[in-house]
Amino acid sequence: MVKLAKVLATAAMIFGISMSAWAMGKVHEGTIVDTMNSGGYTYVQVQEGDNTFWAAGPQVKVDKGDKVQVVEQMWMTNFTSKTLKRTFDKLMFVGEIAKK
């Protein structure tokens, strides 16, 4: 997990991606409203109460409507996925997307 975070931080510096401060391991639980897989990662849009956010972690089989839990590792702003050809305004990287 730490190795992945270091790689992402280094990539952010190299490619000039704006990164927020390291997350403190906050646990989030919610329902998947959108999901896609690309480049070995699963991207999920999670509805948590009145808040909706995108998270990405190692590829896993999940579907819209699944209840999931993710633990913050790092937030990135203006993150562009070259394989999805999409830029996320704000994206949380996690070590695991766990079904509840």
Side-chain angles (χ1 to χ4, degrees):
M1 304 297 171
V2 173
K3 191 174 190 177
L4 173 62
K6 286 181 181 179
V7 168
L8 292 172
T10 301
M13 287 187 296
I14 291 169
F15 296 108
I17 300 167
S18 172
M19 229 171 54
S20 66
W22 289 94
M24 300 306 295
K26 182 178 177 185
V27 176
H28 295 271
E29 293 183 2
T31 304
I32 296 176
V33 294
D34 197 3
T35 184
M36 59 197 79
N37 292 328
S38 183
Y41 290 92
T42 294
Y43 294 78
V44 291
Q45 185 179 32
V46 178
Q47 178 76 43
E48 181 182 42
D50 293 333
N51 187 31
T52 302
F53 61 89
W54 280 97
Q59 192 165 329
V60 63
K61 171 75 172 105
V62 291
D63 296 299
K64 291 179 184 179
D66 285 349
K67 305 277 189 217
V68 293
Q69 180 181 66
V70 294
V71 179
E72 290 183 24
Q73 287 190 339
M74 179 175 60
W75 284 97
M76 294 185 77
T77 55
N78 298 318
F79 176 81
T80 300
S81 166
K82 291 182 181 180
T83 58
L84 288 174
K85 297 181 177 133
R86 176 179 179 160
T87 298
F88 294 87
D89 291 336
K90 189 173 180 183
L91 180 68
M92 177 195 316
F93 281 95
V94 300
E96 177 183 20
I97 299 168
K99 286 188 188 182
K100 293 289 295 171

